[in-house]
Every structure is written in structure tokens, then in C-alpha cells.
Amino acid sequence: MKNLDQRNQIIEYSLKLNSTNLSPLRSGNISLRGTEDDIEGYLITPSGKKYETLKPEDIVFMGLNEDEKNDPTNKPSSEWRFHRDIYTNKKEANAIVHAHSPHATAVSSHGKPIPPFHYMIALAGGDDIKCAEYATFGTEELSKNVIKALENRSACLMSNHGQVAFGKNLDDAFELAQEIENICHQYTIALKLGEPKILSFEEMKKVLDKAKNYKKG
């Protein structure tokens, strides 16, 4: 089977979506950039299948210039459009994790960006975490909104929906999605105490410079 290692890796991280409670049951989706028969594209989780039942042959390969698969037995996630568009627009993206994580989803229901109440906001790439405007799941409109919210960012919220994060590999993307969920959890706690203190633009600029080397330790 082609891309077997990548297919197994996608299944491994899909199971982690459930085990870490980052995305319950069938919700969310995962993809990896890849090639098949010299066609540039990505491998993505299928539509509507529980992660615990996934087999390598269930993972769908999509070309970057390809529209939705017509094969009903091998249908890609309904969110394939924004995966494709992230890979097209973000050359540094090699893996994508989309999750309906509880706190990120709760915060996204307000349709507002998360301000720099904590310096770890910088892990998403900017001085706030944007929230993509709402559009029906799986639509081209939603994909356009996500790409806009990801401008100069590697993660964003999706209004009334959840979050999406990308990275250089699946471990990187998954860890960033976990960081976003943790930040959202902290933000909801902070709001219970009132409006949190917001770090200045100047301070966040310093943090962003330091954050470039954060994962290098």
C-alpha cells in the first residue's frame, strides 16, 4: 500500500484526538502532506468514521488540484477544502490538526480573537489568536475564512466550530493544537474573574522574537 507509514501515523494521531479529549468521537480531522504517483497532495482522515475503527486503506489521498472524491467507499473528511487550501497557501505546513476541543470550541462561539492575556499566545505566530468567521462546515466560504484568520499564524479558532493548527510534522501540529486548547481553557478561567490584563504590543513583539527559538529549547 502506498504511503503506509503516513497512513499509520494519521491513525495514531487520530486515536490521540480521542484519548487526550482534544476531539471526541468522530469530530475533527487530521492530514499529512504527501505525494502519490508523482501527484502532490495530502492524506486525510475519512468522513464519518470513528477513529478506533480506522485502517490504513480508509485514509484518503487527495491531490492539491483535486476536488472531492466521488468514491462513496473512500470519502474524505468534509473539511478537505481548508486542508487543501492551507497546504496550497502555507508552504511550511506539512501536517494539519482540526479539533472540536472543548475550551477552544467554547471560546470560538463568541467569534472573537483571543487577546494577549498570556505570552503563550505567541505560539500561534502572532500577538493574538484570530477567530475565522462562521460558515457552514465543509464549504469554500469556510475555507476562505480560515485562510484569512491564518494570515501570519499557524493556528486559529473557527467561529462556533473549533480550532485548526498546522506544523512541520504531525507531532508539531498536534502539540500546537493542545497548546491552543490550554490557552483557551486559561482564558475562560481568567474571564470568570473579570477582564484580564492585556500585554502591550511592545511586550508581545519581544515575546514573538523569543518564541522563534522556544521549541529549540
Side-chain angles (χ1 to χ4, degrees), residues 134-147:
Y134 180 79
T136 305
F137 74 92
T139 60
E140 185 176 350
E141 182 183 5
L142 176 60
S143 182
K144 289 179 179 178
N145 294 347
V146 166
I147 295 301

Side-chain angles (χ1 to χ4, degrees), residues 5 16 23 40 53 56 59 73 94 108 129-130 148 156 161 177 185 189 192 194 201 211 213:
D5 287 346
K16 285 180 68 175
S23 218
E40 291 188 25
T53 71
I59 306 303
T73 64
N94 289 315
S108 81
I129 296 176
K130 303 292 186 187
K148 182 178 179 181
C156 71
H161 191 148
H185 190 184
I189 294 172
K192 290 177 182 178
F201 174 81
N213 297 314

Side-chain angles (χ1 to χ4, degrees), residues 11 22 26 39-40 58 90 93 121 174 187 192 203:
I11 293 172
L22 198 61
R26 307 166 199 259
I39 298 173
E40 291 188 25
D58 294 325
K90 304 283 189 178
I121 289 283
F174 197 91
Y187 189 48
K192 290 177 182 178
E203 176 59 20

